PDB file of all heavy atoms in Angstrom:
ATOM      1  N   LEU A   1     -16.220  14.001 -15.740  1.00 92.00           N
ATOM      2  CA  LEU A   1     -16.563  12.641 -15.318  1.00 92.00           C
ATOM      3  C   LEU A   1     -15.542  11.941 -14.453  1.00 92.00           C
ATOM      4  O   LEU A   1     -15.798  11.350 -13.440  1.00 92.00           O
ATOM      5  CB  LEU A   1     -16.713  11.847 -16.549  1.00 92.00           C
ATOM      6  CG  LEU A   1     -18.092  11.912 -17.258  1.00 92.00           C
ATOM      7  CD1 LEU A   1     -18.001  11.125 -18.599  1.00 92.00           C
ATOM      8  CD2 LEU A   1     -19.365  11.586 -16.494  1.00 92.00           C
ATOM      9  N   GLY A   2     -14.210  12.319 -14.736  1.00 90.00           N
ATOM     10  CA  GLY A   2     -13.144  11.847 -13.908  1.00 90.00           C
ATOM     11  C   GLY A   2     -13.153  12.354 -12.507  1.00 90.00           C
ATOM     12  O   GLY A   2     -12.960  11.598 -11.523  1.00 90.00           O
ATOM     13  N   GLY A   3     -13.391  13.691 -12.458  1.00 90.00           N
ATOM     14  CA  GLY A   3     -13.546  14.283 -11.093  1.00 90.00           C
ATOM     15  C   GLY A   3     -14.760  13.802 -10.268  1.00 90.00           C
ATOM     16  O   GLY A   3     -14.621  13.635  -9.005  1.00 90.00           O
ATOM     17  N   ILE A   4     -15.842  13.460 -10.901  1.00 89.00           N
ATOM     18  CA  ILE A   4     -17.033  12.955 -10.309  1.00 89.00           C
ATOM     19  C   ILE A   4     -16.728  11.591  -9.728  1.00 89.00           C
ATOM     20  O   ILE A   4     -17.028  11.140  -8.605  1.00 89.00           O
ATOM     21  CB  ILE A   4     -18.319  12.966 -11.189  1.00 89.00           C
ATOM     22  CG1 ILE A   4     -18.717  14.436 -11.501  1.00 89.00           C
ATOM     23  CG2 ILE A   4     -19.378  12.195 -10.492  1.00 89.00           C
ATOM     24  CD1 ILE A   4     -19.697  14.558 -12.521  1.00 89.00           C
ATOM     25  N   ARG A   5     -16.028  10.750 -10.556  1.00 90.00           N
ATOM     26  CA  ARG A   5     -15.699   9.378 -10.217  1.00 90.00           C
ATOM     27  C   ARG A   5     -14.715   9.532  -8.870  1.00 90.00           C
ATOM     28  O   ARG A   5     -14.840   8.633  -7.976  1.00 90.00           O
ATOM     29  CB  ARG A   5     -15.043   8.708 -11.364  1.00 90.00           C
ATOM     30  CG  ARG A   5     -15.864   8.269 -12.421  1.00 90.00           C
ATOM     31  CD  ARG A   5     -15.155   7.466 -13.472  1.00 90.00           C
ATOM     32  NE  ARG A   5     -15.921   6.827 -14.426  1.00 90.00           N
ATOM     33  CZ  ARG A   5     -15.438   6.013 -15.375  1.00 90.00           C
ATOM     34  NH1 ARG A   5     -14.145   5.704 -15.477  1.00 90.00           N
ATOM     35  NH2 ARG A   5     -16.261   5.444 -16.249  1.00 90.00           N
ATOM     36  N   ALA A   6     -13.799  10.368  -9.049  1.00 89.00           N
ATOM     37  CA  ALA A   6     -12.840  10.455  -7.885  1.00 89.00           C
ATOM     38  C   ALA A   6     -13.554  10.796  -6.630  1.00 89.00           C
ATOM     39  O   ALA A   6     -13.210  10.159  -5.530  1.00 89.00           O
ATOM     40  CB  ALA A   6     -11.817  11.557  -8.244  1.00 89.00           C
ATOM     41  N   SER A   7     -14.486  11.686  -6.633  1.00 88.00           N
ATOM     42  CA  SER A   7     -15.142  12.058  -5.309  1.00 88.00           C
ATOM     43  C   SER A   7     -15.987  10.960  -4.848  1.00 88.00           C
ATOM     44  O   SER A   7     -15.918  10.593  -3.596  1.00 88.00           O
ATOM     45  CB  SER A   7     -16.125  13.282  -5.585  1.00 88.00           C
ATOM     46  OG  SER A   7     -17.038  12.966  -6.535  1.00 88.00           O
ATOM     47  N   ALA A   8     -16.712  10.268  -5.644  1.00 89.00           N
ATOM     48  CA  ALA A   8     -17.489   9.049  -5.231  1.00 89.00           C
ATOM     49  C   ALA A   8     -16.636   7.914  -4.758  1.00 89.00           C
ATOM     50  O   ALA A   8     -16.815   7.320  -3.600  1.00 89.00           O
ATOM     51  CB  ALA A   8     -18.309   8.515  -6.293  1.00 89.00           C
ATOM     52  N   GLN A   9     -15.460   7.690  -5.432  1.00 90.00           N
ATOM     53  CA  GLN A   9     -14.595   6.679  -4.987  1.00 90.00           C
ATOM     54  C   GLN A   9     -13.843   6.847  -3.701  1.00 90.00           C
ATOM     55  O   GLN A   9     -13.801   6.027  -2.848  1.00 90.00           O
ATOM     56  CB  GLN A   9     -13.486   6.467  -6.160  1.00 90.00           C
ATOM     57  CG  GLN A   9     -12.436   5.446  -5.950  1.00 90.00           C
ATOM     58  CD  GLN A   9     -11.481   5.341  -7.067  1.00 90.00           C
ATOM     59  OE1 GLN A   9     -11.940   5.324  -8.284  1.00 90.00           O
ATOM     60  NE2 GLN A   9     -10.174   5.239  -6.792  1.00 90.00           N
ATOM     61  N   LEU A  10     -13.376   7.984  -3.501  1.00 87.00           N
ATOM     62  CA  LEU A  10     -12.590   8.341  -2.286  1.00 87.00           C
ATOM     63  C   LEU A  10     -13.528   8.392  -1.103  1.00 87.00           C
ATOM     64  O   LEU A  10     -13.122   7.947  -0.032  1.00 87.00           O
ATOM     65  CB  LEU A  10     -11.863   9.608  -2.366  1.00 87.00           C
ATOM     66  CG  LEU A  10     -10.431   9.470  -2.930  1.00 87.00           C
ATOM     67  CD1 LEU A  10     -10.369   8.964  -4.366  1.00 87.00           C
ATOM     68  CD2 LEU A  10      -9.584  10.789  -2.748  1.00 87.00           C
ATOM     69  N   ILE A  11     -14.689   8.926  -1.188  1.00 86.00           N
ATOM     70  CA  ILE A  11     -15.650   8.983  -0.116  1.00 86.00           C
ATOM     71  C   ILE A  11     -15.982   7.528   0.302  1.00 86.00           C
ATOM     72  O   ILE A  11     -16.061   7.176   1.504  1.00 86.00           O
ATOM     73  CB  ILE A  11     -16.989   9.693  -0.442  1.00 86.00           C
ATOM     74  CG1 ILE A  11     -16.634  11.192  -0.542  1.00 86.00           C
ATOM     75  CG2 ILE A  11     -18.041   9.490   0.488  1.00 86.00           C
ATOM     76  CD1 ILE A  11     -17.780  12.018  -1.182  1.00 86.00           C
ATOM     77  N   SER A  12     -16.195   6.670  -0.690  1.00 88.00           N
ATOM     78  CA  SER A  12     -16.658   5.209  -0.400  1.00 88.00           C
ATOM     79  C   SER A  12     -15.571   4.493   0.267  1.00 88.00           C
ATOM     80  O   SER A  12     -15.809   3.826   1.287  1.00 88.00           O
ATOM     81  CB  SER A  12     -17.003   4.623  -1.713  1.00 88.00           C
ATOM     82  OG  SER A  12     -18.017   5.242  -2.380  1.00 88.00           O
ATOM     83  N   TYR A  13     -14.294   4.641  -0.067  1.00 92.00           N
ATOM     84  CA  TYR A  13     -13.333   3.794   0.514  1.00 92.00           C
ATOM     85  C   TYR A  13     -12.605   4.502   1.602  1.00 92.00           C
ATOM     86  O   TYR A  13     -12.004   3.758   2.494  1.00 92.00           O
ATOM     87  CB  TYR A  13     -12.131   3.552  -0.688  1.00 92.00           C
ATOM     88  CG  TYR A  13     -12.638   2.481  -1.474  1.00 92.00           C
ATOM     89  CD1 TYR A  13     -13.395   2.746  -2.606  1.00 92.00           C
ATOM     90  CD2 TYR A  13     -12.222   1.161  -1.467  1.00 92.00           C
ATOM     91  CE1 TYR A  13     -13.758   1.785  -3.489  1.00 92.00           C
ATOM     92  CE2 TYR A  13     -12.545   0.189  -2.288  1.00 92.00           C
ATOM     93  CZ  TYR A  13     -13.264   0.434  -3.358  1.00 92.00           C
ATOM     94  OH  TYR A  13     -13.745  -0.510  -4.287  1.00 92.00           O
ATOM     95  N   GLU A  14     -12.869   5.711   1.925  1.00 90.00           N
ATOM     96  CA  GLU A  14     -12.326   6.393   3.162  1.00 90.00           C
ATOM     97  C   GLU A  14     -13.096   5.774   4.345  1.00 90.00           C
ATOM     98  O   GLU A  14     -12.483   5.697   5.403  1.00 90.00           O
ATOM     99  CB  GLU A  14     -12.478   7.809   3.122  1.00 90.00           C
ATOM    100  CG  GLU A  14     -11.275   8.558   2.455  1.00 90.00           C
ATOM    101  CD  GLU A  14     -11.489  10.061   2.462  1.00 90.00           C
ATOM    102  OE1 GLU A  14     -12.460  10.547   2.884  1.00 90.00           O
ATOM    103  OE2 GLU A  14     -10.569  10.692   2.045  1.00 90.00           O
ATOM    104  N   LEU A  15     -14.303   5.512   4.256  1.00 91.00           N
ATOM    105  CA  LEU A  15     -15.133   4.965   5.295  1.00 91.00           C
ATOM    106  C   LEU A  15     -14.529   3.613   5.759  1.00 91.00           C
ATOM    107  O   LEU A  15     -14.241   3.456   6.912  1.00 91.00           O
ATOM    108  CB  LEU A  15     -16.572   4.770   4.967  1.00 91.00           C
ATOM    109  CG  LEU A  15     -17.304   6.056   4.570  1.00 91.00           C
ATOM    110  CD1 LEU A  15     -18.696   5.815   4.137  1.00 91.00           C
ATOM    111  CD2 LEU A  15     -17.374   6.934   5.914  1.00 91.00           C
ATOM    112  N   ALA A  16     -14.203   2.731   4.869  1.00 94.00           N
ATOM    113  CA  ALA A  16     -13.632   1.363   5.300  1.00 94.00           C
ATOM    114  C   ALA A  16     -12.279   1.601   5.816  1.00 94.00           C
ATOM    115  O   ALA A  16     -11.934   0.998   6.668  1.00 94.00           O
ATOM    116  CB  ALA A  16     -13.565   0.492   3.959  1.00 94.00           C
ATOM    117  N   MET A  17     -11.466   2.454   5.267  1.00 94.00           N
ATOM    118  CA  MET A  17     -10.108   2.714   5.732  1.00 94.00           C
ATOM    119  C   MET A  17     -10.312   3.268   7.226  1.00 94.00           C
ATOM    120  O   MET A  17      -9.456   2.872   8.006  1.00 94.00           O
ATOM    121  CB  MET A  17      -9.415   3.720   4.909  1.00 94.00           C
ATOM    122  CG  MET A  17      -8.019   4.113   5.347  1.00 94.00           C
ATOM    123  SD  MET A  17      -7.079   5.217   4.231  1.00 94.00           S
ATOM    124  CE  MET A  17      -6.614   4.109   3.037  1.00 94.00           C
ATOM    125  N   ALA A  18     -11.118   4.232   7.422  1.00 94.00           N
ATOM    126  CA  ALA A  18     -11.187   4.807   8.774  1.00 94.00           C
ATOM    127  C   ALA A  18     -11.598   3.775   9.748  1.00 94.00           C
ATOM    128  O   ALA A  18     -11.080   3.842  10.940  1.00 94.00           O
ATOM    129  CB  ALA A  18     -12.249   5.921   8.731  1.00 94.00           C
ATOM    130  N   LEU A  19     -12.485   2.883   9.449  1.00 95.00           N
ATOM    131  CA  LEU A  19     -12.869   1.796  10.302  1.00 95.00           C
ATOM    132  C   LEU A  19     -11.697   0.845  10.679  1.00 95.00           C
ATOM    133  O   LEU A  19     -11.516   0.418  11.747  1.00 95.00           O
ATOM    134  CB  LEU A  19     -14.065   0.931   9.855  1.00 95.00           C
ATOM    135  CG  LEU A  19     -15.353   1.775   9.757  1.00 95.00           C
ATOM    136  CD1 LEU A  19     -16.534   0.911   9.129  1.00 95.00           C
ATOM    137  CD2 LEU A  19     -15.859   2.102  11.179  1.00 95.00           C
ATOM    138  N   ALA A  20     -10.911   0.527   9.573  1.00 96.00           N
ATOM    139  CA  ALA A  20      -9.771  -0.284   9.813  1.00 96.00           C
ATOM    140  C   ALA A  20      -8.754   0.468  10.704  1.00 96.00           C
ATOM    141  O   ALA A  20      -8.093  -0.241  11.575  1.00 96.00           O
ATOM    142  CB  ALA A  20      -9.149  -0.616   8.485  1.00 96.00           C
ATOM    143  N   VAL A  21      -8.587   1.610  10.616  1.00 96.00           N
ATOM    144  CA  VAL A  21      -7.552   2.419  11.407  1.00 96.00           C
ATOM    145  C   VAL A  21      -8.079   2.422  12.819  1.00 96.00           C
ATOM    146  O   VAL A  21      -7.429   2.347  13.789  1.00 96.00           O
ATOM    147  CB  VAL A  21      -7.305   3.870  10.836  1.00 96.00           C
ATOM    148  CG1 VAL A  21      -6.582   4.734  11.747  1.00 96.00           C
ATOM    149  CG2 VAL A  21      -6.573   3.690   9.525  1.00 96.00           C
ATOM    150  N   LEU A  22      -9.413   2.712  12.961  1.00 95.00           N
ATOM    151  CA  LEU A  22     -10.059   2.815  14.358  1.00 95.00           C
ATOM    152  C   LEU A  22      -9.815   1.464  15.119  1.00 95.00           C
ATOM    153  O   LEU A  22      -9.576   1.491  16.269  1.00 95.00           O
ATOM    154  CB  LEU A  22     -11.492   3.103  14.170  1.00 95.00           C
ATOM    155  CG  LEU A  22     -12.175   3.287  15.486  1.00 95.00           C
ATOM    156  CD1 LEU A  22     -11.608   4.469  16.311  1.00 95.00           C
ATOM    157  CD2 LEU A  22     -13.792   3.611  15.243  1.00 95.00           C
ATOM    158  N   ALA A  23      -9.880   0.279  14.354  1.00 96.00           N
ATOM    159  CA  ALA A  23      -9.658  -0.992  15.035  1.00 96.00           C
ATOM    160  C   ALA A  23      -8.145  -1.048  15.581  1.00 96.00           C
ATOM    161  O   ALA A  23      -8.048  -1.677  16.596  1.00 96.00           O
ATOM    162  CB  ALA A  23      -9.919  -2.093  14.091  1.00 96.00           C
ATOM    163  N   VAL A  24      -7.231  -0.464  14.881  1.00 96.00           N
ATOM    164  CA  VAL A  24      -5.839  -0.450  15.350  1.00 96.00           C
ATOM    165  C   VAL A  24      -5.756   0.328  16.629  1.00 96.00           C
ATOM    166  O   VAL A  24      -4.946   0.055  17.475  1.00 96.00           O
ATOM    167  CB  VAL A  24      -4.909   0.085  14.273  1.00 96.00           C
ATOM    168  CG1 VAL A  24      -3.589   0.268  14.765  1.00 96.00           C
ATOM    169  CG2 VAL A  24      -4.866  -0.852  13.066  1.00 96.00           C
ATOM    170  N   LEU A  25      -6.407   1.447  16.650  1.00 95.00           N
ATOM    171  CA  LEU A  25      -6.303   2.422  17.859  1.00 95.00           C
ATOM    172  C   LEU A  25      -7.039   1.979  19.118  1.00 95.00           C
ATOM    173  O   LEU A  25      -6.646   2.383  20.226  1.00 95.00           O
ATOM    174  CB  LEU A  25      -6.845   3.745  17.485  1.00 95.00           C
ATOM    175  CG  LEU A  25      -6.254   4.432  16.235  1.00 95.00           C
ATOM    176  CD1 LEU A  25      -6.954   5.751  15.881  1.00 95.00           C
ATOM    177  CD2 LEU A  25      -4.710   4.645  16.381  1.00 95.00           C
ATOM    178  N   ILE A  26      -8.038   1.132  18.945  1.00 95.00           N
ATOM    179  CA  ILE A  26      -8.834   0.656  20.159  1.00 95.00           C
ATOM    180  C   ILE A  26      -7.909  -0.046  21.192  1.00 95.00           C
ATOM    181  O   ILE A  26      -7.976   0.385  22.355  1.00 95.00           O
ATOM    182  CB  ILE A  26      -9.947  -0.247  19.753  1.00 95.00           C
ATOM    183  CG1 ILE A  26     -11.031   0.578  19.100  1.00 95.00           C
ATOM    184  CG2 ILE A  26     -10.479  -1.024  20.975  1.00 95.00           C
ATOM    185  CD1 ILE A  26     -12.186  -0.257  18.519  1.00 95.00           C
ATOM    186  N   PRO A  27      -7.123  -1.023  20.880  1.00 94.00           N
ATOM    187  CA  PRO A  27      -6.253  -1.565  21.978  1.00 94.00           C
ATOM    188  C   PRO A  27      -5.177  -0.744  22.391  1.00 94.00           C
ATOM    189  O   PRO A  27      -4.703  -0.820  23.622  1.00 94.00           O
ATOM    190  CB  PRO A  27      -5.654  -2.953  21.291  1.00 94.00           C
ATOM    191  CG  PRO A  27      -5.792  -2.649  19.837  1.00 94.00           C
ATOM    192  CD  PRO A  27      -7.013  -1.838  19.560  1.00 94.00           C
ATOM    193  N   VAL A  28      -4.693   0.248  21.574  1.00 93.00           N
ATOM    194  CA  VAL A  28      -3.681   1.224  21.939  1.00 93.00           C
ATOM    195  C   VAL A  28      -4.229   2.209  22.934  1.00 93.00           C
ATOM    196  O   VAL A  28      -3.547   2.678  23.890  1.00 93.00           O
ATOM    197  CB  VAL A  28      -3.099   1.853  20.606  1.00 93.00           C
ATOM    198  CG1 VAL A  28      -2.050   2.911  21.147  1.00 93.00           C
ATOM    199  CG2 VAL A  28      -2.518   0.881  19.674  1.00 93.00           C
ATOM    200  N   GLY A  29      -5.403   2.652  22.742  1.00 91.00           N
ATOM    201  CA  GLY A  29      -6.101   3.645  23.520  1.00 91.00           C
ATOM    202  C   GLY A  29      -5.573   5.087  23.302  1.00 91.00           C
ATOM    203  O   GLY A  29      -5.593   5.873  24.222  1.00 91.00           O
ATOM    204  N   SER A  30      -5.045   5.310  22.165  1.00 91.00           N
ATOM    205  CA  SER A  30      -4.521   6.665  21.770  1.00 91.00           C
ATOM    206  C   SER A  30      -4.578   6.932  20.224  1.00 91.00           C
ATOM    207  O   SER A  30      -4.459   5.895  19.597  1.00 91.00           O
ATOM    208  CB  SER A  30      -3.049   6.737  22.326  1.00 91.00           C
ATOM    209  OG  SER A  30      -2.525   7.999  21.872  1.00 91.00           O
ATOM    210  N   PHE A  31      -4.706   8.161  19.970  1.00 92.00           N
ATOM    211  CA  PHE A  31      -4.636   8.543  18.577  1.00 92.00           C
ATOM    212  C   PHE A  31      -3.201   8.939  18.116  1.00 92.00           C
ATOM    213  O   PHE A  31      -2.925   9.268  16.970  1.00 92.00           O
ATOM    214  CB  PHE A  31      -5.522   9.744  18.194  1.00 92.00           C
ATOM    215  CG  PHE A  31      -6.917   9.429  18.214  1.00 92.00           C
ATOM    216  CD1 PHE A  31      -7.731   9.838  19.260  1.00 92.00           C
ATOM    217  CD2 PHE A  31      -7.592   8.708  17.265  1.00 92.00           C
ATOM    218  CE1 PHE A  31      -9.098   9.514  19.426  1.00 92.00           C
ATOM    219  CE2 PHE A  31      -8.930   8.437  17.253  1.00 92.00           C
ATOM    220  CZ  PHE A  31      -9.690   8.883  18.354  1.00 92.00           C
ATOM    221  N   HIS A  32      -2.243   8.813  19.021  1.00 91.00           N
ATOM    222  CA  HIS A  32      -0.892   9.144  18.768  1.00 91.00           C
ATOM    223  C   HIS A  32      -0.062   8.089  18.046  1.00 91.00           C
ATOM    224  O   HIS A  32      -0.074   6.936  18.583  1.00 91.00           O
ATOM    225  CB  HIS A  32      -0.207   9.462  20.173  1.00 91.00           C
ATOM    226  CG  HIS A  32       1.150  10.198  20.030  1.00 91.00           C
ATOM    227  ND1 HIS A  32       2.328   9.575  19.699  1.00 91.00           N
ATOM    228  CD2 HIS A  32       1.430  11.454  20.351  1.00 91.00           C
ATOM    229  CE1 HIS A  32       3.275  10.459  19.624  1.00 91.00           C
ATOM    230  NE2 HIS A  32       2.761  11.580  20.021  1.00 91.00           N
ATOM    231  N   LEU A  33       0.386   8.388  16.933  1.00 93.00           N
ATOM    232  CA  LEU A  33       1.125   7.306  16.160  1.00 93.00           C
ATOM    233  C   LEU A  33       2.378   6.733  16.830  1.00 93.00           C
ATOM    234  O   LEU A  33       2.639   5.666  16.700  1.00 93.00           O
ATOM    235  CB  LEU A  33       1.470   7.857  14.832  1.00 93.00           C
ATOM    236  CG  LEU A  33       0.464   7.900  13.828  1.00 93.00           C
ATOM    237  CD1 LEU A  33       0.848   8.726  12.555  1.00 93.00           C
ATOM    238  CD2 LEU A  33      -0.015   6.575  13.428  1.00 93.00           C
ATOM    239  N   GLY A  34       3.023   7.563  17.664  1.00 90.00           N
ATOM    240  CA  GLY A  34       4.257   7.054  18.482  1.00 90.00           C
ATOM    241  C   GLY A  34       3.736   5.933  19.461  1.00 90.00           C
ATOM    242  O   GLY A  34       4.492   4.921  19.675  1.00 90.00           O
ATOM    243  N   ARG A  35       2.542   6.107  20.040  1.00 92.00           N
ATOM    244  CA  ARG A  35       1.998   5.059  20.933  1.00 92.00           C
ATOM    245  C   ARG A  35       1.755   3.822  20.203  1.00 92.00           C
ATOM    246  O   ARG A  35       1.758   2.737  20.714  1.00 92.00           O
ATOM    247  CB  ARG A  35       0.735   5.611  21.696  1.00 92.00           C
ATOM    248  CG  ARG A  35       0.979   6.975  22.274  1.00 92.00           C
ATOM    249  CD  ARG A  35       1.847   6.939  23.598  1.00 92.00           C
ATOM    250  NE  ARG A  35       2.066   8.245  24.097  1.00 92.00           N
ATOM    251  CZ  ARG A  35       2.931   9.087  23.855  1.00 92.00           C
ATOM    252  NH1 ARG A  35       3.828   8.726  22.889  1.00 92.00           N
ATOM    253  NH2 ARG A  35       3.050  10.253  24.422  1.00 92.00           N
ATOM    254  N   VAL A  36       1.163   3.975  18.930  1.00 94.00           N
ATOM    255  CA  VAL A  36       0.951   2.810  18.099  1.00 94.00           C
ATOM    256  C   VAL A  36       2.112   2.037  17.858  1.00 94.00           C
ATOM    257  O   VAL A  36       2.171   0.766  17.995  1.00 94.00           O
ATOM    258  CB  VAL A  36       0.177   3.272  16.826  1.00 94.00           C
ATOM    259  CG1 VAL A  36       0.109   1.995  15.874  1.00 94.00           C
ATOM    260  CG2 VAL A  36      -1.030   3.939  17.133  1.00 94.00           C
ATOM    261  N   VAL A  37       3.328   2.659  17.593  1.00 92.00           N
ATOM    262  CA  VAL A  37       4.462   1.956  17.439  1.00 92.00           C
ATOM    263  C   VAL A  37       5.082   1.249  18.697  1.00 92.00           C
ATOM    264  O   VAL A  37       5.421   0.113  18.699  1.00 92.00           O
ATOM    265  CB  VAL A  37       5.642   3.036  16.978  1.00 92.00           C
ATOM    266  CG1 VAL A  37       7.048   2.241  16.797  1.00 92.00           C
ATOM    267  CG2 VAL A  37       5.157   3.583  15.588  1.00 92.00           C
ATOM    268  N   ASP A  38       4.912   1.942  19.852  1.00 89.00           N
ATOM    269  CA  ASP A  38       5.328   1.405  21.073  1.00 89.00           C
ATOM    270  C   ASP A  38       4.497   0.184  21.421  1.00 89.00           C
ATOM    271  O   ASP A  38       4.973  -0.709  22.000  1.00 89.00           O
ATOM    272  CB  ASP A  38       5.118   2.470  22.217  1.00 89.00           C
ATOM    273  CG  ASP A  38       6.055   3.677  22.103  1.00 89.00           C
ATOM    274  OD1 ASP A  38       7.121   3.454  21.368  1.00 89.00           O
ATOM    275  OD2 ASP A  38       5.705   4.685  22.619  1.00 89.00           O
ATOM    276  N   TYR A  39       3.250   0.150  21.046  1.00 92.00           N
ATOM    277  CA  TYR A  39       2.351  -0.975  21.389  1.00 92.00           C
ATOM    278  C   TYR A  39       2.791  -2.150  20.616  1.00 92.00           C
ATOM    279  O   TYR A  39       2.455  -3.318  21.099  1.00 92.00           O
ATOM    280  CB  TYR A  39       0.915  -0.548  21.109  1.00 92.00           C
ATOM    281  CG  TYR A  39      -0.047  -1.692  21.240  1.00 92.00           C
ATOM    282  CD1 TYR A  39      -0.616  -1.957  22.391  1.00 92.00           C
ATOM    283  CD2 TYR A  39      -0.533  -2.476  20.143  1.00 92.00           C
ATOM    284  CE1 TYR A  39      -1.657  -2.987  22.592  1.00 92.00           C
ATOM    285  CE2 TYR A  39      -1.522  -3.476  20.362  1.00 92.00           C
ATOM    286  CZ  TYR A  39      -1.918  -3.762  21.512  1.00 92.00           C
ATOM    287  OH  TYR A  39      -2.926  -4.725  21.744  1.00 92.00           O
ATOM    288  N   GLN A  40       3.440  -2.104  19.547  1.00 89.00           N
ATOM    289  CA  GLN A  40       3.769  -3.216  18.639  1.00 89.00           C
ATOM    290  C   GLN A  40       5.115  -3.726  18.879  1.00 89.00           C
ATOM    291  O   GLN A  40       5.672  -4.624  18.133  1.00 89.00           O
ATOM    292  CB  GLN A  40       3.709  -2.782  17.186  1.00 89.00           C
ATOM    293  CG  GLN A  40       2.283  -2.377  16.728  1.00 89.00           C
ATOM    294  CD  GLN A  40       2.331  -1.905  15.297  1.00 89.00           C
ATOM    295  OE1 GLN A  40       2.305  -2.688  14.406  1.00 89.00           O
ATOM    296  NE2 GLN A  40       2.313  -0.602  15.092  1.00 89.00           N
ATOM    297  N   HIS A  41       5.866  -3.332  19.986  1.00 84.00           N
ATOM    298  CA  HIS A  41       7.199  -3.815  20.291  1.00 84.00           C
ATOM    299  C   HIS A  41       7.214  -5.363  20.515  1.00 84.00           C
ATOM    300  O   HIS A  41       8.168  -6.015  20.130  1.00 84.00           O
ATOM    301  CB  HIS A  41       7.827  -3.141  21.458  1.00 84.00           C
ATOM    302  CG  HIS A  41       8.421  -1.821  21.115  1.00 84.00           C
ATOM    303  ND1 HIS A  41       8.725  -1.439  19.819  1.00 84.00           N
ATOM    304  CD2 HIS A  41       8.658  -0.724  21.985  1.00 84.00           C
ATOM    305  CE1 HIS A  41       9.184  -0.187  19.880  1.00 84.00           C
ATOM    306  NE2 HIS A  41       9.198   0.249  21.146  1.00 84.00           N
TER     307      HIS A  41
END
């Protein structure tokens, strides 16, 4: 039961997390984390 809960929980919340991360990358224009840091200077 714990394993089943874990799979449902992580799949559900990974979608929201991925959308939040994607929003950060849009103005940067890159998937490179170094460029994300440079953008925030």
Side-chain angles (χ1 to χ4, degrees):
L1 285 173
I4 293 172
R5 284 184 175 187
S7 61
Q9 176 175 319
L10 268 68
I11 290 171
S12 302
Y13 282 82
E14 272 182 356
L15 294 173
M17 176 180 283
L19 290 176
V21 172
L22 182 60
V24 171
L25 302 177
I26 287 176
V28 179
S30 173
F31 290 103
H32 194 283
L33 281 170
R35 308 290 177 269
V36 176
V37 175
D38 294 338
Y39 178 81
Q40 298 178 79
H41 279 341

